[in-house]
Amino acid sequence: MKLSPTTLGPLFAAIAVTLFSLNDVTMKFLSGGYALHQIVLIRSIVGMAVVMLFMVPFQGGFAAIKTHRIGAQMARAGMVFFANMTFFLGLAALPLADAVALFFVSPFVITIFSVLFLGETVGARRWGAVAVGLIGVLIILRPGTSAFQPASLLPIAAAFGYGGLHIMTRYLRNTETTVSMVFYIQLMFILATCALGLLMGDGKFATTDNASLEFLFRPWVWPEPSDLPYILVLGLFASVGGYFISLAYRMGEAALVAPFEYLALPLSIILGMLFFDEWPDAVAWAGIALILASGLYTVWREHQLAKRQTPKRQG
């Protein structure tokens, strides 16, 4: 039975989100023993192998990764790298559900970026959704209290990188293949983590008790044999998940696909409870609910505006 794009888009998004959530759990599990850039390098080498051995041959060969927009491709990949690194650094210090919830300020960032970089006009209702989401963020952050953690700002920084990624994807999607976007992400990760390894892989900066900074500055070590399967599976999850989420947005309407990314929130709560004995408190639940509601409204509103197909969209 052949499935329609209306079905395949959300299905591929759900698969991608599940893989990304398992990737987050694995990364958090490994964050106590290895340097982040070492894990990401090994993950990216595995991811590149998956791209070259399994994706490229089935997408037209090397022609599928050729590009005349290498600068834009690498800029997009750099945003993915920034988003990943800051999110994982936050993940080392925060409960899984809190980190994922804070990351979901990304729809609000995309709204702001669409005004700044795409010339779109945003009306009162979408700005209202942004405001509600930011209230949710403040509830989770709890600034000015003893519960505030500076590491909470890292998933928010990651959301800015993710917002930039979406703007660049809109810019490139009509000329670049899905597999080429995955390829240049893996290439950027390999180049950047090799540079970080040369700069700090000896652990000369590892003089802090902060979980996030320790994850960044810890010296490289040879992985324990028992940990190698987890590190290798990160590459599989990241590359296949990245491919599926790109494919999802190509095959399905954004309004149908984007809400499925929010599966990451309940998944993070369930996985945090199962693997790390974490459970959001009442205050965190309130913040998560506001972020979820405002984010889904923003996605729905984007769809309503897109249907009008006007040069300047009023929300």
Side-chain angles (χ1 to χ4, degrees):
M1 181 178 66
K2 186 176 180 181
L3 298 177
S4 68
T6 303
T7 302
L8 287 174
L11 176 62
F12 289 158
I15 293 171
V17 168
T18 301
L19 292 174
F20 290 147
S21 296
L22 293 172
N23 186 84
D24 294 344
V25 169
T26 307
M27 188 65 77
K28 187 172 177 65
F29 172 75
L30 294 170
S31 66
Y34 300 96
L36 174 58
H37 34 89
Q38 180 186 10
I39 297 174
V40 172
L41 175 59
I42 299 172
R43 184 193 77 167
S44 301
I45 291 172
V46 174
M48 182 65 86
V50 172
V51 171
M52 299 306 294
L53 295 177
F54 299 102
M55 295 184 186
V56 170
F58 293 101
Q59 298 292 323
F62 288 104
I65 60 174
K66 289 182 179 178
T67 180
H68 297 292
R69 308 173 83 175
I70 184 65
Q73 283 273 20
M74 295 304 283
R76 177 181 179 274
M79 292 171 188
V80 180
F81 178 76
F82 175 80
N84 272 252
M85 296 294 282
T86 49
F87 179 77
F88 290 141
L89 288 172
L91 200 60
L94 300 173
L96 183 62
D98 287 12
V100 172
L102 289 170
F103 175 75
F104 272 102
V105 302
S106 52
F108 319 135
V109 174
I110 293 169
T111 296
I112 295 168
F113 281 2
S114 70
V115 173
L116 295 177
F117 302 115
L118 299 180
E120 297 178 359
T121 301
V122 174
R125 280 176 285 185
R126 275 199 291 169
W127 282 127
V130 170
V132 171
L134 293 179
I135 291 171
V137 170
L138 290 174
I139 289 173
I140 295 176
L141 287 178
R142 307 178 213 192
T145 72
S146 59
F148 172 73
Q149 296 187 60
S152 299
L153 301 176
L154 290 166
I156 298 174
F160 277 84
Y162 190 70
L165 157 68
H166 267 275
I167 297 300
M168 290 302 298
T169 300
R170 291 184 191 180
Y171 177 67
L172 292 168
R173 65 185 174 186
N174 293 327
T175 61
E176 307 300 295
T177 65
T178 300
V179 70
S180 74
M181 292 187 186
V182 179
F183 170 81
Y184 287 105
I185 286 173
Q186 300 299 338
L187 179 62
M188 168 61 75
F189 273 54
I190 290 171
L191 294 175
T193 51
C194 282
L196 287 174
L198 290 172
L199 177 65
M200 61 183 69
D202 58 359
K204 60 187 175 185
F205 300 115
T207 58
T208 176
D209 293 328
N210 180 281
S212 297
L213 294 179
E214 183 64 20
F215 193 21
L216 179 63
F217 295 134
R218 186 179 292 122
W220 286 24
V221 296
W222 190 256
E224 293 289 333
S226 59
D227 289 337
L228 274 175
Y230 296 104
I231 298 175
L232 296 177
V233 101
L234 284 172
L236 181 64
F237 288 166
S239 57
V240 177
Y243 179 78
F244 271 111
I245 197 65
S246 296
L247 201 58
Y249 277 98
R250 281 182 176 273
M251 299 197 69
E253 291 186 15
L256 289 174
V257 172
F260 282 83
E261 290 201 56
Y262 282 84
L263 284 173
L265 272 173
L267 278 175
S268 69
I269 293 169
I270 294 169
L271 294 173
M273 179 182 64
L274 290 176
F275 291 99
F276 305 109
D277 196 27
E278 299 170 348
W279 187 253
D281 60 22
V283 174
W285 273 113
I288 290 170
L290 287 176
I291 292 171
L292 177 61
S294 56
L296 288 174
Y297 174 81
T298 299
V299 169
W300 173 82
R301 188 63 182 160
E302 282 284 343
H303 175 58
Q304 295 299 110
L305 296 171
K307 290 195 298 185
R308 298 180 185 176
Q309 297 182 343
T310 55
K312 287 261 185 178
R313 299 186 297 183
Q314 178 66 42

